[in-house]
Amino acid sequence: MKYKNYIYYSLVVLLLFSTITYATTSNEQAAAFDFNEKVEASTLKLAGGGDESSDTDTNKMIESDANPEDVSKSQEPTNTDKSQEKPEEKPQNQPLNKPGTTHAPLNSSKTADKTNTSAEGNNKPAPEKTKPNTNTDIEIVDVADQQNRYFTTNIKNNETVTDPVYVVTVNHLDDSLIPQEMNVTLNGKQLNDFTGEITFIEGTNDIQFQVIYKQSDNKLLRVSQLYRVTLNSEDIIITTVLKDQTVMEETLTFTATAAQGEKDAKLKVVSNHQELKPLAGSSYTATLVEGENTFKLTAQLHGKKAEQSYTVIYEKEKIAISLETDLKDQQANSEDFSFYAKATANEVDVPLKITVNDQLVKSSDGSNYSVQLMNGANTVKVVGQYEDEQLERQYTITYKDPNVNEKPQVDPDAPKLVTDLKSGSTVKGDIKTINVWPVTASGERIRGKNVQVQVNGANIPFTWDDSAKTSYKLTLQTGKNNVTIKVWDDEARTVTETFTVTSVAPAEDGVIGQVTISLEASVLGIPYLIKPTKMDIHQGEKGSYILDQLLRNNGYEYGKTGNLDSSFYLRDVSKPGMLNGLHIPDDLWEVVEKVSTTSNRDIYSPDSLSEFDFANGSGWMYSVNGDYPNYGFSDAYFLDGDVVRVRYTLHYGKDIGGHDSSGTSDANWDKEW
């Protein structure tokens, strides 16, 4: 038994010694992991665009026994050879299923590279550094320091943050552009497997987003946007919407927070030496005193302190004198003229001084007046004062005495005013658009700088002004409104006309009437794509919203620039088979070919109709009651009974009678197709 134990322990010692000797002398040592190894950044594939690389494709690459050369070929863009693939059944240039917000990318195109590396072992060489895209078909758009109309992010340029982790969302703005790829770089290094979060380093961080889009013509568009964000996790940072400003409201509500790194710091807010307590979360409300109000924000944490001070000036709004009167610039039918005038301010009656032709007029009850007019123009002045505020109004009452035979004196050199505004008209709702065509006595166009339009005494700026006409949007009050249009030439000769417009409040549901609207392509031999359809008009509703509803109700998709609220332009419409039966009249095409830079009536899609189809001057236009406005749908406000025709043109509207809206003096063609 003693010898058996001796032999057993001897074998254990021998086995341990052999193991140590083998580990020491072995030539097969594992290579140390290089922590400085550069990892190639992946190119992000966005939903709905580009080469449709998927998890299935990646799995195929893992299972294949292809050599490295074959693997390299498999990673090339799939659109280089589509002949072996089953075509996907979807319309051409189909937009993203949900083109709004990208929170995190799909699988990157480098996933296959990483998977193959793990499958083939460590003998495979490291992937080469990504080369710059030298594709000459890519149009490069640098949007730095400009308005990015392609995409936006939630990053605020030049902001300071305390938390190094920043969650990013990307909003794509143009539905007609299909996102293909997105690269994100931080401080000059491309981010690998970007999932929507960025981790900043202390100090200044430069972030670049680069997105490649596919356009409707299948050409690629590369858009870049730069941001700079400062991470300050050492100091206490106070963030607030407060600023040095002047306000007219007695109550001021604002938000304010303080943080050091990822920790919140206790914030003390003092207004006019009184501490404010937050109402909820980070929201504060202060009651201002007239004049200067001081705000001091102080935060402390871990022995550090931060302070910010602001001055808010409260200017109390002056009490306006309110005048109630039936006076207006008008034509009287009798020399005996009566009117009503009463002024109040802060619920107190304000005494009025009223003169007619510089003669003081007395009232029997303080508000009703009776005077006798002289032949011709009579000037009525109303003056009142309350504390420091003064009221002055002047009206012209014209009376033509039938017993006096006078020929009106007309200045032959005075300007001429033409407008589509009709005096005595009634408008449902509070908005009306008008056009003005003023010219000199010799017929030369007078531009908007020499035109003044007022509604109830308030100046109205023009919405559009070109060589053909000047357009205005009138905002009316319920009841009667006085609209005055004054035009003058360079020699200061003037002409003034006054119009009365009555505004009727909408019904309880906000509907102010109906507009008849149609979609037409008569120049292509298709009278109506959408026949005239009656649509409800709601108070303050822009024409772009009505057009959007019309197209969607009839199964059409459309492309645009701008948005429904601003700078809306209808670029194209699409629907399967919409152009079946197309036939451009020969006499029209003969003229189009002569005047167009490019033209071809044989190449088109039967499922869509866009600007620049068939000829370089083609596109969509619209008319309202036969007139083509010089402003877009988002600036149009239709009235009850309006007839709107959305029409396709082959040459800048000359073939449909709409060339005047382009703002040039060229005439329309003799025939309208």
Side-chain angles (χ1 to χ4, degrees):
M1 184 67 180
K2 178 179 179 181
Y3 292 103
K4 288 183 179 180
N5 291 339
Y6 176 78
I7 293 172
Y8 174 78
Y9 287 113
S10 296
L11 289 174
V12 172
V13 172
L14 180 61
L15 180 61
L16 179 62
F17 178 79
S18 299
T19 302
I20 295 173
T21 303
Y22 176 80
T24 305
T25 60
S26 176
N27 291 327
E28 296 297 323
Q29 297 184 13
F33 184 82
D34 185 3
F35 287 96
N36 295 322
E37 179 181 359
K38 295 184 179 179
V39 181
E40 182 179 5
S42 44
T43 301
L44 305 179
K45 296 293 182 180
L46 302 186
D51 305 336
E52 300 181 1
S53 176
S54 64
D55 292 338
T56 304
D57 298 328
T58 303
N59 294 333
K60 289 181 180 178
M61 296 177 69
I62 294 174
E63 296 169 0
S64 69
D65 295 326
N67 58 36
E69 180 179 356
D70 294 333
V71 173
S72 175
K73 290 181 180 179
S74 71
Q75 293 172 350
E76 295 178 358
T78 58
N79 62 359
T80 57
D81 186 4
K82 295 286 185 177
S83 61
Q84 302 298 323
E85 299 179 6
K86 181 179 179 181
E88 185 178 1
E89 297 179 0
K90 64 180 181 180
Q92 183 180 4
N93 298 330
Q94 180 178 355
L96 291 175
N97 292 334
K98 188 176 181 181
T101 303
T102 300
H103 292 280
L106 299 176
N107 294 335
S108 72
S109 62
K110 297 298 181 183
T111 305
D113 293 342
K114 295 182 179 179
T115 308
N116 282 334
T117 300
S118 62
E120 296 175 11
N122 293 331
N123 293 329
K124 181 178 178 179
E128 298 180 0
K129 185 176 181 181
T130 305
K131 296 181 180 180
N133 194 332
T134 58
N135 191 339
T136 57
D137 291 335
I138 296 182
E139 179 184 353
I140 300 175
V141 178
D142 186 4
V143 298
D145 300 326
Q146 301 178 20
Q147 182 180 4
N148 187 343
R149 62 186 178 89
Y150 303 96
F151 70 88
T152 59
T153 74
N154 60 323
I155 300 177
K156 297 178 182 178
N157 195 30
N158 295 320
E159 68 175 316
T160 299
V161 299
T162 59
D163 190 344
V165 178
Y166 200 110
V167 179
V168 181
T169 59
V170 180
N171 296 317
H172 301 286
L173 304 178
D174 193 334
D175 295 349
S176 68
L177 299 177
I178 304 176
Q180 304 292 295
E181 298 178 3
M182 182 171 74
N183 292 319
V184 182
T185 61
L186 175 63
N187 299 322
K189 295 182 180 179
Q190 211 163 7
L191 298 184
N192 186 34
D193 294 334
F194 172 70
T195 59
E197 286 189 357
I198 295 177
T199 302
F200 294 132
I201 61 173
E202 190 72 18
T204 301
N205 295 263
D206 292 321
I207 311 101
Q208 182 186 48
F209 285 81
Q210 184 183 96
V211 181
I212 295 180
Y213 294 99
K214 181 187 285 186
Q215 303 179 86
S216 59
D217 56 2
N218 288 329
K219 291 185 178 180
L220 299 181
L221 178 72
R222 190 174 73 193
V223 184
S224 300
Q225 181 71 61
L226 295 174
Y227 301 92
R228 174 162 289 181
V229 177
T230 301
L231 172 63
N232 188 342
S233 60
E234 300 294 331
D235 299 323
I236 297 176
I237 302 300
I238 298 176
T239 304
T240 180
V241 295
L242 267 178
K243 61 182 178 179
D244 295 333
Q245 58 183 313
T246 299
V247 299
M248 301 185 71
E249 297 291 336
E250 186 178 13
T251 302
L252 179 67
T253 300
F254 60 93
T255 57
T257 59
Q260 182 184 24
E262 300 181 35
K263 295 183 178 180
D264 293 335
K266 185 177 180 181
L267 180 65
K268 181 179 180 181
V269 179
V270 176
S271 171
N272 297 332
H273 307 293
Q274 292 186 353
E275 184 175 357
L276 300 179
K277 298 297 182 182
L279 299 178
S282 58
S283 179
Y284 297 82
T285 296
T287 301
L288 306 178
V289 298
E290 195 167 359
E292 289 190 357
N293 296 261
T294 59
F295 289 84
K296 186 175 182 180
L297 283 63
T298 307
Q300 292 182 342
L301 185 66
H302 298 157
K304 292 192 175 184
K305 183 178 180 181
E307 290 184 354
Q308 290 183 9
S309 297
Y310 302 93
T311 300
V312 178
I313 299 175
Y314 169 43
E315 292 185 354
K316 195 172 183 180
E317 187 177 3
K318 295 181 179 179
I319 300 174
I321 300 177
S322 175
L323 176 65
E324 297 181 22
T325 182
D326 56 358
L327 279 171
K328 59 184 179 180
D329 294 338
Q330 58 185 292
Q331 181 86 30
N333 297 322
S334 172
E335 63 177 351
D336 295 323
F337 183 74
S338 299
F339 60 92
Y340 170 85
K342 183 178 181 180
T344 58
N346 200 20
E347 299 182 354
V348 176
D349 290 341
V350 176
L352 292 177
K353 177 183 178 182
I354 298 180
T355 61
V356 176
N357 301 325
D358 297 326
Q359 299 294 318
L360 186 63
V361 179
K362 297 289 186 178
S363 171
S364 59
D365 58 3
S367 58
N368 290 286
Y369 300 82
S370 297
V371 298
Q372 279 196 329
L373 302 176
M374 65 180 188
N375 185 52
N378 296 261
T379 302
V380 180
K381 293 181 180 180
V382 180
V383 178
Q385 185 166 344
Y386 179 79
E387 295 181 353
D388 296 333
E389 187 171 355
Q390 188 166 352
L391 168 74
E392 291 186 4
R393 295 287 188 272
Q394 182 171 307
Y395 307 90
T396 300
I397 313 299
T398 304
Y399 167 62
K400 183 179 180 181
D401 190 341
N403 299 319
V404 178
N405 187 12
E406 292 182 349
K407 292 184 179 180
Q409 295 181 354
V410 178
D411 184 359
D413 297 325
K416 295 178 175 59
L417 171 61
V418 179
T419 178
D420 55 4
L421 178 62
K422 304 297 183 184
S423 187
S425 59
T426 299
V427 176
K428 291 184 179 180
D430 58 1
I431 294 177
K432 179 174 176 59
T433 55
I434 66 170
N435 298 309
V436 180
W437 296 268
V439 294
T440 64
S442 59
E444 296 178 358
R445 171 80 164 93
I446 295 178
R447 300 298 293 264
K449 64 183 181 65
N450 284 21
V451 180
Q452 181 189 63
V453 176
Q454 291 184 330
V455 176
N456 302 321
N459 289 331
I460 306 297
F462 57 74
T463 56
W464 190 268
D465 178 62
D466 56 33
S467 61
K469 57 189 173 185
T470 307
S471 303
Y472 297 83
K473 184 185 80 170
L474 308 183
T475 302
L476 308 173
Q477 63 185 17
T478 302
K480 289 187 177 181
N481 297 263
N482 291 323
V483 181
T484 303
I485 303 177
K486 180 180 179 181
V487 179
W488 60 92
D489 58 19
D490 293 338
E491 281 70 38
R493 291 184 288 260
T494 65
V495 59
T496 303
E497 292 189 25
T498 301
F499 306 81
T500 300
V501 180
T502 301
S503 172
V504 179
E508 292 182 358
D509 59 358
V511 175
I512 62 174
Q514 286 190 323
V515 58
T516 301
I517 183 169
S518 59
L519 187 71
E520 307 176 22
S522 57
V523 295
L524 307 182
I526 304 175
Y528 292 108
L529 295 171
I530 300 177
K531 292 183 178 181
T533 305
K534 291 187 179 296
M535 307 281 292
D536 286 341
I537 311 168
H538 293 82
Q539 172 87 308
E541 186 176 27
K542 295 175 179 288
S544 49
Y545 282 85
I546 296 178
L547 176 63
D548 171 79
Q549 183 181 358
L550 174 77
L551 294 173
R552 289 189 291 105
N553 288 351
N554 287 274
Y556 283 87
E557 296 181 351
Y558 67 90
K560 66 183 186 309
T561 58
N563 54 59
L564 294 178
D565 292 313
S566 176
S567 304
F568 181 93
Y569 168 70
L570 181 64
R571 188 177 59 237
D572 59 81
V573 297
S574 58
K575 183 179 180 180
M578 60 178 287
L579 295 186
N580 291 343
L582 178 147
H583 176 71
I584 302 176
D586 292 337
D587 58 341
L588 169 59
W589 187 249
E590 181 179 357
V591 180
V592 172
E593 277 190 313
K594 288 181 180 179
V595 299
S596 299
T597 305
T598 59
S599 60
N600 190 324
R601 64 172 170 178
D602 297 322
I603 300 178
Y604 65 93
S605 168
D607 303 326
S608 65
L609 188 56
S610 175
E611 63 177 349
F612 311 133
D613 286 350
F614 305 104
N616 61 284
S618 66
W620 291 97
M621 303 179 68
Y622 77 102
S623 66
V624 181
N625 302 326
D627 177 66
Y628 286 83
N630 51 7
Y631 46 83
F633 265 100
S634 54
D635 291 318
Y637 297 84
F638 303 136
L639 300 177
D640 183 34
D642 281 349
V643 176
V644 177
R645 302 174 67 187
V646 184
R647 307 185 67 184
Y648 191 78
T649 175
L650 290 175
H651 194 73
Y652 305 110
K654 288 188 175 183
D655 49 353
I656 58 174
H659 189 63
D660 288 343
S661 66
S662 65
T664 64
S665 58
D666 295 343
N668 292 306
W669 291 338
D670 293 336
K671 181 179 177 181
E672 180 177 336
W673 282 268

